[in-house]
C-alpha cells in the first residue's frame, strides 16, 4: 500500500456525499481494502448468510432514498453493485428498482408532459420506488388522493388523474407497467363513472318518453 494510493483514496472520499452516495462510498472502501476483488459485491462475504441479506436490504433501502437525486451513471453503478444472487426472494424487489433506474428518460418525459402535475408525479415516483412492505400502504394513499379531488379543493380532480393515467398507458407503456394497479384503478373508476352517467341519461329519456305516451293515451281516453 503506497502513500499515493492512500492519498487518492482520501481525496475520493472527501468528494463524496454520504447522504447521496452511500453505496459508492462502501464500494470504494471495499476496493481500497481488497483491490483484487474490485468486481465483487458490496456486502462483506465474511458475514453470515443472514447478515449478508440484511446488509443487502439496507443497501437497497439506502438507494431508494437517494434514487431521484443521483445522476444516471451513478444510479446505474449503484444498482449494478447490488448482488442478489444468493437471495432469489429479493428478485422482484430488485427488478422493480432496476426498472425504475432504467427508465430515467421516461420519467423526465412524464414530468414535462402537458397533463402531468406535481402531486401526481410525486405520488407516482414515491410509489414505484417504495419497498414491497410500503407499496400497499402507499398505493392506498394514492388511490384515496386520486379519488376525492372533486370533494376537496386542495386536491386535483379525478379527471386530472384520468388524463395523465391515460397518457401514460398510451404514450409510456414502460411506466404504465411499473405501477399498473394504481393507474388501471384510476382509469377504471373514471370509465365506470362515464358509463353510469350515460346509462342515467338513457333511463331519463326512456322515462320521459313513457310519460309523454301516458299523457297522450290518457288524453285520448277521456276525449
Amino acid at each position: 500500500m503506497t502513500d499515493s494510493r492512500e492519498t487518492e483514496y482520501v481525496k475520493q472520499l472527501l468528494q463524496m456525499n454520504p447522504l447521496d452516495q452511500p453505496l459508492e462510498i462502501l464500494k470504494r472502501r471495499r476496493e481500497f481494502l481488497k483491490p483484487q476483488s474490485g468486481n465483487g459485491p458490496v456486502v462483506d462475504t465474511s458475514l453470515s448468510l443472514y447478515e449478508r441479506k440484511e446488509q443487502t436490504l439496507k443497501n437497497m433501502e439506502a438507494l431508494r432514498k437517494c434514487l431521484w437525486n443521483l445522476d444516471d451513471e451513478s444510479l446505474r453503478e449503484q444498482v449494478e453493485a447490488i448482488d442478489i444472487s444468493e437471495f432469489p426472494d429479493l428478485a422482484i424487489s430488485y427488478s422493480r428498482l432496476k426498472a425504475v433506474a432504467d427508465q430515467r428518460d421516461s420519467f423526465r418525459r412524464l414530468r414535462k408532459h402537458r397533463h402531468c402535475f406535481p402531486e401526481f408525479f410525486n405520488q407516482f415516483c414515491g410509489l414505484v420506488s417504495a419497498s414491497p412492505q410500503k407499496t400497499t400502504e402507499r398505493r392506498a394513499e394514492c388511490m384515496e388522493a386520486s379519488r376525492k379531488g372533486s370533494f376537496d379543493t386542495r386536491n386535483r380532480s379525478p379527471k386530472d388523474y384520468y388524463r395523465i393515467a391515460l397518457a401514460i398507458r398510451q404514450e409510456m407503456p414502460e411506466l404504465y407497467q411499473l405501477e399498473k394497479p394504481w393507474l388501471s384503478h384510476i382509469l377504471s373508476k373514471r370509465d365506470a363513472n362515464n358509463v353510469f352517467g350515460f346509462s342515467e341519461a338513457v333511463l331519463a329519456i326512456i322515462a320521459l318518453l313513457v310519460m309523454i305516451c301516458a299523457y297522450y293515451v290518457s288524453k285520448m281516453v277521456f276525449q
Side-chain angles (χ1 to χ4, degrees):
M1 184 181 298
T2 64
D3 290 339
S4 60
R5 183 168 177 268
E6 292 177 353
T7 301
E8 182 64 23
Y9 170 66
V10 172
K11 285 182 179 179
Q12 290 180 355
L13 286 190
L14 290 175
Q15 294 173 355
M16 294 180 179
N17 187 333
L19 294 178
D20 295 337
Q21 300 172 283
L23 297 181
E24 283 190 28
I25 292 174
L26 287 173
K27 181 181 179 182
R28 185 65 191 92
R29 179 176 180 274
R30 174 180 51 76
E31 292 173 345
F32 177 73
L33 295 175
K34 298 180 180 180
Q36 71 279 8
S37 58
N39 294 323
V42 173
V43 178
D44 188 349
T45 55
S46 66
L47 300 175
S48 68
L49 182 64
Y50 173 79
E51 290 173 326
R52 291 201 299 274
K53 183 174 183 179
E54 287 298 302
Q55 187 59 58
T56 300
L57 287 170
K58 289 180 181 178
N59 290 343
M60 292 175 67
E61 187 59 31
L63 181 54
R64 288 188 182 97
K65 291 180 179 179
C66 62
L67 181 65
W68 306 105
N69 298 321
L70 296 172
D71 60 75
D72 291 355
E73 183 177 355
S74 296
L75 177 59
R76 183 165 51 252
E77 289 178 354
Q78 294 197 30
V79 170
E80 292 176 353
I82 297 176
D83 182 9
I84 61 164
S85 57
E86 294 183 293
F87 318 112
D89 56 314
L90 299 183
I92 294 178
S93 179
Y94 176 77
S95 63
R96 183 174 173 85
L97 189 60
K98 188 176 186 304
V100 173
D102 290 342
Q103 300 299 336
R104 289 291 286 270
D105 286 341
S106 296
F107 280 100
R108 282 189 276 267
R109 286 174 53 211
L110 173 62
R111 190 168 197 166
K112 296 178 181 179
H113 196 281
R114 61 192 180 94
H115 290 319
C116 191
F117 49 94
E119 295 89 342
F120 175 87
F121 186 77
N122 292 336
Q123 290 163 8
F124 186 71
C125 290
L127 187 53
V128 298
S129 60
S131 65
Q133 294 78 10
K134 296 179 180 178
T135 298
T136 301
E137 179 182 350
R138 285 273 185 95
R139 190 175 289 143
E141 292 174 355
C142 290
M143 287 181 176
E144 177 65 13
S146 59
R147 180 193 65 82
K148 67 180 184 180
S150 58
F151 304 103
D152 190 337
T153 56
R154 295 173 297 178
N155 293 279
R156 302 294 290 255
S157 71
K159 188 175 182 180
D160 292 326
Y161 279 90
Y162 178 83
R163 283 173 177 163
I164 186 59
L166 183 62
I168 291 175
R169 186 175 68 180
Q170 294 177 341
E171 303 171 28
M172 292 168 270
E174 67 281 4
L175 294 188
Y176 184 75
Q177 291 302 321
L178 278 177
E179 190 40 52
K180 188 175 180 179
W182 180 41
L183 297 177
S184 61
H185 171 80
I186 294 173
L187 295 172
S188 64
K189 296 295 289 186
R190 183 70 182 178
D191 290 341
N193 290 337
N194 288 341
V195 171
F196 181 71
F198 176 76
S199 300
E200 279 191 324
V202 171
L203 290 175
I205 293 173
I206 293 174
L208 179 61
L209 292 175
V210 170
M211 290 176 62
I212 293 174
C213 291
Y215 170 77
Y216 281 107
V217 169
S218 61
K219 188 175 181 180
M220 292 175 61
V221 169
F222 291 103
Q223 278 184 345

